[in-house]
Amino acid sequence: AQEEVKIEQRLTAIERRWTQQELTFEQTTSGQSMLLPPDSVLNTLQEALVEIQALRFNPHVLRNSTFSEQVQALLIQLTSTEKLLNTWLLAQHKHSTLHAFFC
């Protein structure tokens, strides 16, 4: 039972960290909003993914379907967030490069 409480606290802590994350945008001289490099968000994301991966193979999580579902849902959310941020930053970089080249 103590292990289950610890797992629940870890899951809650990960979720709480994500409710506190914010992305910052900056207005460019051409009036476009650009996402500033979200280094702290990406670092927090990587830490959370490592923690979720560790929980994913925890025997107590594997035996408890509720925990297993929570861990899987968080894993999907975090990996989707990582992919989205990386795609956004890549597209933004390409856009600014092309904008500078053609304007």
Side-chain angles (χ1 to χ4, degrees):
Q2 278 185 323
E3 187 65 30
E4 290 177 350
V5 171
K6 288 179 184 178
I7 291 168
E8 194 168 325
Q9 289 172 341
R10 287 173 69 184
L11 290 170
T12 302
I14 292 169
E15 290 174 349
R16 192 176 318 120
R17 266 184 287 178
W18 278 102
T19 61
Q20 298 170 355
Q21 295 300 311
E22 292 184 9
L23 298 175
T24 307
F25 294 85
E26 178 179 80
Q27 209 63 13
T28 64
T29 54
S30 63
Q32 297 174 336
S33 292
M34 298 290 279
L35 175 64
L36 295 177
D39 294 333
S40 66
V41 173
L42 290 172
N43 288 339
T44 302
L45 177 64
Q46 288 299 318
E47 291 169 6
L49 281 169
V50 168
E51 194 169 353
I52 287 294
Q53 288 290 357
L55 279 173
R56 188 174 174 203
F57 297 107
N58 181 306
H60 296 287
V61 171
L62 292 171
R63 286 192 299 254
N64 184 319
S65 64
T66 303
F67 285 148
S68 187
E69 289 170 10
Q70 278 183 287
V71 166
Q72 187 63 30
L74 270 173
L75 182 61
I76 290 168
Q77 290 172 355
L78 293 174
T79 37
S80 296
T81 301
E82 181 182 43
K83 287 177 188 176
L84 178 67
L85 281 173
N86 287 330
T87 301
W88 186 328
L89 291 170
L90 178 64
Q92 181 175 280
H93 174 72
K94 287 182 178 185
H95 176 269
S96 63
T97 301
L98 289 172
H99 183 72
F101 183 70
F102 288 109
C103 293

